[in-house]
Amino acid sequence: MTETVTLPAIKRIEGHGRVALHLDDDGRVADAHFDVIEFRGFEKMLEGRMVWEMPLITSRICGVCPVSHHLAAVKAVDALYGVEIPRAALLLRELMHLGGFAQDHALHFFFLAGPDFLTGGGASRDLLGVIEARPDLARRAIALRRAGQNVVEVVGGRKSHPVAAIPGGMSRGIDRSQRDELLAAAKGMFDDARSAADLAVETTARLMSENPGYASTPRYNMAQMRGDEFAIYDGTIRIVSPDGSGFAEFDAAAYADHLTERTLDGSYANSPYLTAEGPDKGGYRVGPLARVNMAETMGGTHADELLAGFRERYGRPVHSVLAFHHARMIELVASVERMIAVLEDDEIVSDAVRVRVDRGIEGRGVAAVEAPRGTLIHDYEVDMVGRVTRANLVVATTHNVGSLDAAVLEAVQGFAKEDALTDESVLRMELGIRAHDPCLSCATHEIGRMPLVVSVHNPDGTLVAERGVS
């Protein structure tokens, strides 16, 4: 007989999903899956549309990281038509991406994950709790987010869903007065970013000491790198083994030779794995922790100092998912330093921001960027008139599905049903989930509300308990 227990929803992630806990014959949790239960239909919706519309359409997948989809799509169209865009356009696109990156990392650290470790006992574990308990941190977060969004608006034409990146370059550039304004703002972001990184050092160490060994299963790491440097716009995709040694390196166009996407029972989010290792051993992580594990340099003096401190404290590679928070703030500092460097390059105010694009080619365009949550791949096949005949989007959260599953399982493995659904158990599962910063809108390309529930199943699959919202 089915038993349903309805309790408050799990919150503070980008979207909502479902955690399914599976019991063994003794009634103990033996397996767990982080499922996304909304229909994944966006790629099918793209079929029949013109490929040059992709940068505008796909940015609507997500209200949190639209810049990443905008740029991955336009890069894929450039690749399809064999376009080399002017250097000024490259700088502008990277600058727009850095603005989106910085505001996204600040949002997650302070307002989504932050209530887990910034406010202490007694404070409300939500955005209002941070504002009430640490108004100084709330002001920094808002300032960083506002500054990053301003960069996106000035360069991309809109604060939320940018429109300025077009096949062949950019529809417009920026003038010297805009450059000077953005440069002053970027320099103004630095102190807040550096302060956030210092705070992450302290809070991450505390979280890891309070949860020793939690969610630390060694995994492969994957990121797009510019040589050995942290880079979010271009480069080649690199994979390193759990011990940190090199495993594979390839252009984004060859991703299907190295990664296999599989569907999962009960979830609309695919779960890719390394083809050479198979589904059981080929799980990997992407995102801030993977990038920081792999980079030899973050590209800026202060970010490199933070990277050295991270390695001195935790070694290399680091596998604890709780270290995502520390890595994310190293990237925030690196993004601000890179933003300043890009804006100090005089070529960014050049009028040469686009080249002619000759259409009329049947073929395939593939490209990748590093989104805040990890590697984002856009892949389009088109006919002679430019109509999309197939689309595949491999997003960061789906790369991390295996790591999310492992974090949830470690929180409650061996627990009886009642113990797995206590507030303490749910909070520990949430801690592992939020460290990854999953974006379920991206993972499923679903538009709308996606509630997260925790469900418990007998060995025969029968639902025996559930906690969440309908």
Side-chain angles (χ1 to χ4, degrees), residues 4-11 417-418 420-423 426 452-454 465-470:
T4 301
V5 180
T6 303
L7 297 169
I10 297 175
K11 303 173 183 174
K417 178 191 71 176
E418 294 77 12
L421 293 177
T422 64
D423 287 346
V426 172
L452 174 64
V453 298
V454 180
E466 188 172 85
R467 167 180 179 157
V469 294
S470 57

Side-chain angles (χ1 to χ4, degrees), residues 145-391:
R145 186 160 165 77
R146 182 186 295 131
Q149 287 180 318
N150 186 52
V151 171
V152 175
E153 183 174 22
V154 172
V155 179
R158 286 184 180 177
K159 189 177 294 184
S160 179
H161 298 284
V163 296
I166 59 174
M170 298 288 288
S171 62
R172 64 179 193 176
I174 60 173
D175 60 29
R176 290 186 180 278
S177 65
Q178 289 174 312
R179 186 269 292 271
D180 293 344
E181 177 192 340
L182 292 178
L183 181 57
K187 289 180 177 178
M189 295 171 72
F190 179 78
D191 286 345
D192 284 337
R194 181 62 202 238
S195 176
D198 291 341
L199 184 61
V201 173
E202 169 201 334
T203 53
T204 300
R206 176 160 46 82
L207 269 180
M208 293 173 70
S209 68
E210 292 171 350
N211 300 273
Y214 172 57
S216 300
T217 303
R219 286 183 173 272
Y220 291 84
N221 287 276
M222 186 180 88
Q224 183 167 264
M225 310 280 293
R226 186 188 294 151
D228 291 327
E229 182 179 343
F230 164 75
I232 62 174
Y233 180 76
D234 54 14
T236 56
I237 295 175
R238 184 178 298 177
I239 299 170
V240 298
S241 300
D243 65 1
S245 60
F247 180 78
E249 186 163 358
F250 50 89
D251 186 83
Y255 81 92
D257 295 334
H258 299 270
L259 307 178
T260 298
E261 293 183 86
R262 61 172 169 168
T263 57
L264 302 171
D265 292 339
S267 177
Y268 282 109
N270 288 345
S271 178
Y273 61 88
L274 304 179
T275 306
E277 295 295 277
D280 295 333
K281 298 181 179 179
Y284 57 93
R285 289 192 186 99
V286 299
L289 184 58
R291 291 187 289 250
V292 165
N293 272 333
M294 295 168 67
E296 296 298 334
T297 173
M298 300 302 292
T301 303
H302 295 277
D304 278 345
E305 289 175 358
L306 292 167
L307 178 65
F310 181 81
R311 290 192 176 146
E312 184 177 351
R313 182 181 289 265
Y314 299 116
R316 182 186 186 190
V318 179
H319 291 293
S320 170
V321 301
L322 299 180
F324 262 104
H325 301 301
H326 190 160
R328 192 170 286 115
M329 291 302 95
I330 295 174
E331 290 193 338
L332 175 61
V333 173
S335 298
V336 174
E337 287 190 286
R338 178 61 184 163
M339 212 181 299
I340 293 170
V342 168
L343 284 162
E344 288 179 338
D345 189 323
D346 285 339
E347 195 159 353
I348 200 165
V349 294
S350 168
D351 293 330
V353 295
R354 58 183 173 273
V355 297
R356 176 188 172 90
V357 178
D358 293 320
R359 301 171 183 174
I361 298 173
E362 181 181 357
R364 182 181 178 202
V366 185
V369 298
E370 281 297 311
R373 292 158 190 80
T375 311
L376 169 65
I377 301 169
H378 279 217
D379 177 1
Y380 305 106
E381 292 181 12
V382 306
D383 62 17
M384 284 293 290
V385 299
R387 189 179 298 112
V388 174
T389 57
R390 187 190 69 87

